[in-house]
Amino acid sequence: MIETMGEKAIQEIKQLLQLSESMEQVVNPYEVSAKDGGKIDYDKIVEKFGCKRVDQSLIDRVHRLTSRDPHVFLRRGVFFAHRDFNEILDSFERGDKFYLYTGRGPSSEALHLGHLIPFMFTKYLQEAFKVPVVIQLTDDEKFMWSKTLKVEDTKRLARENIKDIIACGFDVEKTFIFSNIEHAGTFYENTLKIGKCVTVNKANAIFGFAGEDPVGKMGFPPVQAAPSFASSFQHLFLGKDNNLRCLIPCAIDQDPYFRMTRDVAPRLDYSKSALIESKFLPSLKAMNGKMSASNPNSAIYVTDTTKDIKKKVNSAFSGGKDNSTEQENAGADLEVDIPFKYLSFFLDDDAELEHIKKEYGEGRMLSGPVKQRLTEVLTEVVEKHRKARAAVTDEMVNAFMAVRPLPKMFD
Ligand code: TRP
């Protein structure tokens, strides 16, 4: 009988449930893992979350509306899912504006390439649509979830990470970057209103909080939700833009936060935020899950040297065959080949990618030259970032973080 069960038995049952769960695919803001160590099934996520696939007609529309080539992450299906992105485009076509919101949890000093994906993409959207961007650094979240980081640590990491974010090329006249801990003042009101609309039962169903979690975790989802509403930024949108729509570029694991946010929006008389959501850059070691910050060899960091990159790329999981005769006969398995996957994220030239796909896939090209090309491509990305990052001063960080109006945000 459940009622008479001891605490120990309850714990055991919970563990069993977690065990059976862990063999299934898990994608939420706190954990990403594929079923049985295989590949992430993105179709399943779309179905389960209830978002939509980004299709070619949407990409063509972006092309038409912005009069420029859609970003490589759109063309290659990295940003593959959305919610109401079509509506944002409808209203943009009618001459209405929107703003962009994205963020980062500052849990580590050095960023890897997977961390940069949403920022590279948001910078492109800012330029292509000429719209303002707000970027949230969740130093409060990382403090609440971390076993070791103190408030001072996550605040410092936020400022360090902001340098990497600025290095992605954001326009200071159109971009407001804020730390939750430092900026709590102006958007606190909205976190209260959102918090009041979400029951503990609902939060548990979405985020799976457990009895032994710190109570502060439960207070966090409204904090990530609030920047989706223009009224959170009185210094930017006060007045006529108070209900300006928001488009959120993010990795698909953040979707639960915004499902909750969209649910709450009509009750507060706010417009629902739209989303454009990405896949994860896989680990260098295999196609399962996202790159992990804890195994340095599974990821390319923005601080890696050309030598590091070469070494890591050479030991990446390959779908090519062991010897050249076999490779010539069978070709490479591009479905599992990590170097090819990475090229599809970072090699901008469509014709060259198509050429590699054909030659390597059909066995006329060996894995060596593919890895060689990837090393060049990634070195270029990382070098460009390193230079830009080195040029970011503390004054620039302060300028992006200053609470100020942005008179040129739509120019
Ligand atoms: N929770 C996110 C993380 O840990 C950070 C974040 C805050 C975010 N607001 C966001 C990410 C909006 C995408 C969009 O990385």
Side-chain angles (χ1 to χ4, degrees), residues 38 41 47 57 78 118-119 125 136 151 160 167 186 188 207 213 216 224 240 253 270 274 315 343 362 374 380 383 388:
D41 182 341
E47 189 190 320
S57 70
V78 174
F119 297 106
L125 291 174
Q136 176 182 59
V151 163
E160 284 307 305
T186 54
Y188 186 55
F207 302 105
D213 273 330
Q224 178 147 338
K240 69 173 171 44
D253 62 336
Y270 291 145
S315 66
L343 281 173
E362 292 173 10
L374 178 63
E380 200 186 314
E383 263 307 289

Side-chain angles (χ1 to χ4, degrees), residues 218-406:
M218 284 206 181
F220 179 72
V223 178
Q224 178 147 338
S228 322
F229 304 135
S231 63
S232 293
F233 302 100
Q234 304 276 315
H235 59 292
L236 299 181
F237 309 124
L238 191 64
K240 69 173 171 44
D241 291 330
N242 231 5
N243 218 359
L244 193 67
R245 277 200 80 162
C246 172
L247 171 65
I248 307 172
C250 63
I252 189 87
D253 62 336
Q254 300 297 308
D255 187 82
Y257 282 120
F258 301 118
R259 229 180 296 147
M260 179 198 85
T261 313
R262 287 164 51 89
D263 229 39
V264 165
R267 289 166 63 188
L268 298 177
D269 231 357
Y270 291 145
S271 43
K272 284 190 180 182
S273 42
L275 290 149
I276 179 138
E277 308 178 294
S278 76
K279 296 181 179 171
F280 310 109
L281 183 61
S283 148
L284 285 167
K285 295 296 177 195
M287 285 292 288
N288 55 359
K290 58 178 176 180
M291 284 210 286
S292 130
S294 49
N295 177 359
N297 283 322
S298 76
I300 304 285
Y301 286 87
V302 296
T303 45
D304 281 350
T305 62
T306 309
K307 222 172 124 199
D308 296 330
I309 296 175
K310 192 169 175 182
K311 203 173 105 224
K312 289 183 187 183
V313 168
N314 281 339
S315 66
F317 189 84
S318 175
K321 301 295 177 293
D322 286 343
N323 62 60
S324 49
T325 326
E326 252 186 82
Q327 169 68 4
E328 276 162 29
N329 288 336
D333 183 352
L334 299 181
E335 282 299 303
V336 299
D337 191 84
I338 295 289
F340 181 74
K341 190 78 197 167
Y342 269 54
L343 281 173
S344 75
F345 274 65
F346 294 107
L347 176 62
D348 203 10
D349 186 332
D350 291 339
E352 189 185 349
L353 188 78
E354 204 41 50
H355 175 78
I356 294 173
K357 184 174 176 183
K358 204 159 179 320
E359 296 302 299
Y360 185 41
E362 292 173 10
R364 287 179 298 279
M365 196 173 181
L366 300 181
S367 63
V370 176
K371 288 178 169 173
Q372 167 67 30
R373 185 69 183 111
L374 178 63
T375 303
E376 284 165 18
V377 169
L378 294 184
T379 301
E380 200 186 314
V381 173
V382 169
E383 263 307 289
K384 188 174 158 227
H385 183 83
R386 200 186 52 74
K387 283 206 187 100
R389 210 282 187 186
V392 178
T393 60
D394 277 317
E395 288 69 41
M396 283 162 77
V397 174
N398 292 338
F400 274 92
M401 296 181 81
V403 179
R404 67 208 190 277
L406 296 172

